[in-house]
Amino acid sequence: MTAATSPRFVTLEGLEGAGKSTAMAFVRDWFEARGETVLCTREPGGTPLAEELRAVLKAVREEPVAASTELLLMFAARAQHVERVIRPALAAGKVVVCDRFTDSTRAYQGAGRGLSMATIDQLAEVAHAGCDPGLTLWLDVPVALGLERAASREAADRFEQETLDFFERVRDGFEALSEREPARFRRVDATRALDEVRAQIETELEAAHGG
Ligand SMILES: Nc1ncnc2c1ncn2[C@@H]1O[C@H](COP(=O)(O)OP(=O)(O)OP(=O)(O)O)[C@@H](O)[C@H]1O
Ligand SMILES: [Mg+2]
């Protein structure tokens, strides 16, 4: 794990429906109230090319997608996003808040699909050396609650069609990350009411950045 993290680069992680997109507004509000310019973005995606790769990754298709193909497409999208959007924004003094990043790859393609964490860390080095989040908020919910929240939206994509076992492994993957990097990777109890989720996120931001 590279030590080159930026405290001005914050990521949101968690299962589908956990509340990542909802929480992004809480993080943005907190920084904006302190006079910061905030760039909110998401993965896979965040540039026109990377959004095309997102559509490729999410499409339900007859051809089985090899786990290694999925992994490389994720990192291809990420490399483009980091070079074109995230690095320039950080260099311009903005705060960057990203909905999913490499921890999702560790949880989904690593813990979920069984790909090697060492390989993922090597690809992270290729795609975004020296550009790692300084704070990651893990919106944690039981699998069933996340899927229930996500189900109220459009038709299930290729990931949302996965088995409950798969999502349990993904959640275990996030748990392992919180044990491996407890200072950066912070668990937020996302089963609670939204005002309580906001309060916990603000506490984490204050601890990381000073009130
Ligand atoms: N703490 C909460 N309590 C009640 N409802 C919530 C909570 N957090 C999120 N929701 C609701 O659950 C749904 C999913 O939330 P959201 O879109 O933020 O999740 P997400 O993690 O971004 O999902 P996805 O991975 O599919 O993008 C939304 O309708 C949102 O309003
Ligand atoms: Mg979302």
Side-chain angles (χ1 to χ4, degrees), residues 21-99:
S21 301
T22 307
M24 178 165 266
F26 304 159
V27 179
R28 185 200 57 214
D29 291 350
W30 188 89
F31 279 107
E32 284 183 352
R34 283 155 184 79
E36 301 281 4
T37 304
V38 182
L39 178 94
C40 290
T41 186
R42 70 167 182 184
E43 290 220 338
T47 85
L49 169 55
E51 290 286 333
E52 284 185 44
L53 292 174
R54 178 190 181 91
V56 166
L57 277 159
K58 289 193 160 235
V60 176
R61 63 182 76 241
E62 265 179 40
E63 179 183 352
V65 179
S68 53
T69 305
E70 184 177 284
L71 177 70
L72 291 167
L73 285 168
M74 286 290 180
F75 272 112
R78 180 161 305 132
Q80 184 71 7
H81 188 209
V82 169
E83 290 312 314
R84 298 286 306 162
V85 174
I86 296 178
R87 281 194 208 277
L90 291 170
K94 294 177 188 164
V95 168
V96 174
V97 187
C98 191
D99 186 336

Side-chain angles (χ1 to χ4, degrees), residues 118-150:
T119 301
I120 292 171
D121 284 345
Q122 283 174 332
L123 289 170
E125 199 60 23
V126 174
H128 58 91
C131 187
D132 284 289
L135 176 66
T136 299
L137 299 166
W138 166 35
L139 281 293
D140 184 33
V141 288
V143 170
L145 178 58
L147 293 179
E148 191 184 302
R149 286 181 184 168

Side-chain angles (χ1 to χ4, degrees), residues 12-15 18-20 23 137-141 186 188 190 197 201:
L12 297 156
E13 294 288 357
L15 293 168
K20 299 176 297 298
L137 299 166
W138 166 35
L139 281 293
D140 184 33
V141 288
R186 305 294 299 165
V188 175
V197 172
I201 286 173

